[in-house]
Amino acid sequence: MLLTLADAAEPTDTLGELHSDAQAVYWLARCPQTGDMQLWGWTAGSNEAPQCLIEDAVGSRVNQYGGGSYTPLLGGVVWVRQQDQAIMHLDHHDASHCWQKRPQTAYGGLCADPKRQRVLAVEEDTHGQRLIALTASNRHVLTEGADFYGAPILSDDGNYLAWVSWSLPNMPWQRSQLHLAQVAANGRLEAFERWDFGAAISQPQFGPHNALICMSDHAGWWQPWQVNLASPLCLSSDPVDHITTPWQLGERQHAWRSSRQLYCQLHQGAAQLYRRIGEQVEALLPAPGRVASITLAEHGDYAIVQSATSGAQLIHFAENRPRRCLVGNIMGNLAGSLNLVDSLVTKAPAAAQWLEAPVGSEGDTVHGFFYSALESHYAPLIVRIHGGPTAATYPVYDPLVVYWQQQGFHVLDINPRGSGNFGRSYRECLAGQWGISDTDDVIALVNAACLRFAIDKTRCFIRGQSAGGFTALNALAATPLFTAATSLYGVTDALTLAAKTHRFESGYLGWLIGDEPLLAQRSPAYQVSRCQRPLRALFIQGGKDVVVVPEQTHAMARHIQRHGGQAQTLLFDNERHGIRHPKARQTMLARELAFYQ
């Protein structure tokens, strides 16, 4: 069955931020009408369908990428209203109350403290960040002084608090510190401890007997370490990443409870979910894909996952019983009767083929996933570059890939050096090399694809979003291999971006590229001016984007036109860094398809 444009416009991140309490499991789901995230819940063990608990948009804007935007508390939920970043409380009578609202202040990384009937959160304003504790009538600062704070986590008995901090110019996947403190009877923190392994620490969790377990990549991979011992102990020495790059607060991809553990491992860019009970370990997914979020509860284990044959699913893994899909689809069959899942039906699975090519001079390789056109063996190619640049692409069902396959295009998703999920050294290959190694990687992998598959070399297109737009435009200028490029809110002028971008990434470009002359020279704006060929590009931009401001996109389009090329610009006034509204996404993809055709 052919996908429609509306099908293709469905984002892959339709579910996220999984939580549970003694009675229920909770998650965020993207509203099909608005593209906003809403809060849903399901009473454990019931035959009732999941219910939408909060119809308003739920979402944090801390660091611009948010995360940790709600938490269950005392039979209700405390959540961040996306529109104004107010802290709201939905009580057990389904009545909403505003706990906290401050101008130009964002909240994220929410953590329930039921023992004290309060919530802990990262608070961000123009002065910086801090960890705070909130009730309906009180706010006090728990700790401050670092540039940034990761989502806090309380021990089950409420006596200990752990969190991560980092300071500029570092990003949380470069170098961060782990903190532990006792929570006194008055709710204040005391007896502070701190760990710094000279690398990146992420996702602290408490296990049995208040064991503090975090993911640290000081040994080369994000692996679980128990740290509150005489000597830190690695709990899984397998040489693979066990979590993804921490762009958001409140991410949870491992959990440890009594004799039960749930954790991920990423092999060749795909995640498998494992459960350990005692000495027995079982893989919970039929095939590796993507694990977005997990939670453990007395009533079962839950995970939001994606696979090669399905969109996002919320799966319940009960002991000694078959897995149950609560929301989403299984091989194209609906599970549930909600509009929420209507858009997740798989109409034509996309089969990914692993592809790699040698790059550099030290035996490095670049990786990607190739999807063949469905109707034509000899076909044009669309190359996709993810953002970050430390994000990653996965071999999972993406309706846009299937749509393009059905329209007669091959698709190549690339994980250039610098991408997540392949260890610290692969990520750090990009240090000082952005604008060089990523361009080389794209060219190398596309050439490898052209040798292996029947590709129309006169119609190779490249697209990238955010940081991927930077790579796409540089590759367009570097080689006649590409006919045209699409930049989705992409970086075009690194020098200007370094001066205007938000605080979270304000030191990142120095690590990626270097000083001001290099920032200018590596930018697409400079590379296009040196190119002797007229270039063709499509620019898609949100009018409210504060990560890559619209002025950059407009200037780049004019730059291409001044140098004899063709540039089209599509601006969505009400969108931010990412095009979310379903109608806007349909407009965007229709324009992009016409551009390629």
Side-chain angles (χ1 to χ4, degrees), residues 251-562:
E251 294 177 310
R252 188 183 296 108
Q253 292 164 310
H254 68 112
W256 311 74
R257 292 288 183 272
S258 60
S259 62
R260 198 158 99 253
Q261 302 155 20
L262 212 60
Y263 62 95
C264 302
Q265 289 189 350
L266 288 130
H267 299 267
Q268 284 196 330
Q272 178 56 271
L273 182 63
Y274 296 95
R275 178 166 56 191
R276 178 190 293 273
I277 300 177
E279 297 301 316
Q280 299 297 315
V281 177
E282 63 173 322
L284 297 179
L285 305 180
R290 185 175 189 178
V291 177
S293 187
I294 66 172
T295 187
L296 298 187
E298 291 299 324
H299 44 79
D301 306 335
Y302 301 85
I304 293 173
V305 301
Q306 294 170 264
S307 73
T309 57
S310 70
Q313 299 174 313
L314 170 55
I315 305 294
H316 178 203
F317 302 98
E319 287 189 52
N320 304 317
R321 283 192 291 172
R323 49 183 267 167
R324 177 182 178 187
C325 181
L326 298 176
V327 176
N329 65 290
I330 302 174
M331 298 302 291
N333 296 318
L334 286 178
S337 58
L338 301 171
N339 289 335
L340 169 68
V341 299
D342 288 348
S343 61
L344 300 180
V345 182
T346 303
K347 297 184 176 66
Q353 300 181 64
W354 174 260
L355 183 66
E356 59 184 335
V359 289
S361 57
E362 299 180 2
D364 293 334
T365 58
V366 60
H367 328 109
F369 302 104
F370 186 85
Y371 303 86
S372 297
L374 298 186
E375 298 297 331
S376 173
H377 185 61
Y378 182 74
L381 175 69
I382 297 174
V383 179
R384 300 200 305 178
I385 314 298
H386 62 69
T390 57
T393 187
Y394 299 81
V396 296
Y397 175 77
D398 185 336
L400 180 56
V401 170
V402 177
Y403 181 74
W404 280 335
Q405 287 180 295
Q406 293 177 347
Q407 296 294 324
F409 292 90
H410 299 307
V411 180
L412 176 60
D413 279 348
I414 299 182
N415 281 314
R417 284 172 290 177
S419 300
N421 302 345
F422 299 95
R424 185 177 181 91
S425 62
Y426 195 78
R427 257 187 0 261
E428 292 194 328
C429 284
L430 210 56
Q433 295 299 305
W434 198 36
I436 298 176
S437 69
D438 53 316
T439 304
D440 292 344
D441 289 357
V442 167
I443 295 171
L445 201 61
V446 172
N447 281 328
C450 289
L451 290 174
R452 180 173 168 183
F453 303 103
I455 294 172
D456 182 354
K457 297 180 182 179
T458 66
R459 296 180 65 203
C460 286
F461 306 99
I462 186 169
R463 78 184 311 254
Q465 57 191 49
S466 191
F470 176 94
T471 302
L473 292 169
N474 274 346
L476 176 69
T479 172
L481 182 61
F482 298 108
T483 306
T486 298
S487 171
L488 296 95
Y489 36 94
V491 177
T492 59
D493 184 344
L495 183 59
T496 301
L497 181 65
K500 292 187 176 182
T501 194
H502 58 124
R503 181 170 165 269
F504 178 62
E505 295 184 69
S506 58
Y508 194 28
L509 286 167
W511 182 86
L512 286 169
I513 296 177
D515 57 17
E516 289 190 0
L518 286 174
L519 288 172
Q521 293 169 18
R522 300 276 184 84
S523 297
Y526 178 79
Q527 298 299 327
V528 166
S529 66
R530 299 178 63 210
C531 184
Q532 301 300 310
R533 295 173 287 108
L535 304 177
R536 289 186 288 179
L538 170 64
F539 295 91
I540 297 168
Q541 176 72 43
K544 294 182 178 179
D545 194 340
V546 297
V547 179
V548 176
V549 295
E551 289 80 4
Q552 271 210 26
T553 292
H554 295 309
M556 186 66 193
R558 292 192 299 268
H559 202 61
I560 288 178
Q561 291 172 333
R562 281 199 301 268

Side-chain angles (χ1 to χ4, degrees), residues 128-130 145-149 165-169 503:
Q129 291 187 1
R130 60 207 66 88
D147 288 338
F148 300 96
Y149 290 89
S165 72
W166 66 97
S167 294
L168 292 170
R503 181 170 165 269

